[in-house]
């Protein structure tokens, strides 16, 4: 076991405060938004890590790490919608193989959790990487200005702990293009 009290904060030299800064959202917002009957009828697959819902899409659980003052990190279990069927197949095959095939797997999706206190990150494209064998993918990057700030700025613990109630949102509008994918033309001409 790690000795928590031995860890001192690099900003102030004080022992790091105890307490876990980890929360999980049980299911993607657009899935929670459905009424129970509708959800039951449309669920093609459901587990703690994956939802596949007819007419809504495929969702995978990822960790959103948030830097917190005094050298801490809050982690939120949130959900990504992966709209591209081929990408979804690739992710699932890597997950099924596990081990070194899963470790390092990188993919992109749209955040399907209106996470407080930054609910407008909902819908933002973001990139996830699997940090090691049998681990949950972690968000590492976003072009979305707000989500990029959430991932990289150091936030007050008070703001995280008093963030307000989660209000689920439906996915609205059509699919938006993945900003990480270069066009077919640039892929062909670039290699
Ligand atoms: Zn400190």
């Amino acid at each position: 076991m790690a000795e928590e009290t031995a860890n001192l904060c690099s900003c102030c030299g004080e022992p790091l405060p105890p307490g876990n800064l980890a929360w999980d959202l049980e299911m993607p917002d657009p899935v929670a938004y459905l009424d129970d009957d509708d959800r039951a009828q449309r669920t093609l697959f459901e587990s703690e890590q994956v939802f596949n819902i007819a007419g809504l899409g495929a969702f995978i659980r990822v960790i959103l790490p948030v830097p917190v003052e005094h050298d801490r990190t809050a982690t939120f279990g949130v959900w990504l919608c992966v709209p591209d069927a081929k990408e979804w197949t690739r992710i699932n095959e890597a997950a099924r193989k596990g081990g070194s095939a899963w470790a390092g797997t990188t993919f992109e999706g749209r955040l399907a959790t209106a996470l407080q206190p930054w609910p407008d990150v909902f819908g933002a494209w973001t990139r996830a990487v699997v940090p090691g064998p049998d681990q949950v993918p972690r968000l590492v990057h976003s072009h979305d200005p707000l989500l990029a700030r959430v991932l990289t700025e150091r936030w007050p613990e008070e703001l995280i702990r008093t963030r307000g109630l989660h209000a689920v949102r439906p996915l609205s509008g059509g699919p938006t293009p993945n900003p990480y994918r270069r066009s077919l033309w640039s892929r062909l001409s670039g290699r």
Side-chain angles (χ1 to χ4, degrees), residues 9-13 70:
C9 177
S10 68
C11 77
C12 61
H70 303 300

Side-chain angles (χ1 to χ4, degrees), residues 96-188:
R96 196 163 48 237
K97 285 179 192 160
S100 60
W102 177 236
T105 297
T106 301
F107 58 91
E108 294 95 32
R110 292 180 70 199
L111 192 56
T113 303
L115 184 69
Q116 291 282 11
W118 317 276
D120 290 338
V121 295
F122 184 84
W125 275 96
T126 178
R127 169 170 278 171
V129 176
V130 178
D134 306 319
Q135 291 194 20
V136 176
R138 276 173 96 86
L139 299 188
V140 294
H141 181 266
S142 179
H143 293 295
D144 178 79
L146 178 58
L147 185 51
R149 285 182 55 211
V150 172
L151 286 164
T152 57
E153 287 187 9
R154 205 161 276 285
W155 298 85
E157 181 173 341
E158 181 71 9
L159 180 76
I160 305 267
R161 290 199 180 276
T162 60
R163 65 190 179 280
L165 288 176
H166 182 74
V168 300
R169 291 193 191 182
L171 276 178
S172 57
T176 56
N178 179 348
Y180 293 92
R181 288 270 170 269
R182 291 181 294 161
S183 71
L184 180 61
W185 170 251
S186 66
R187 262 186 281 161
L188 289 173

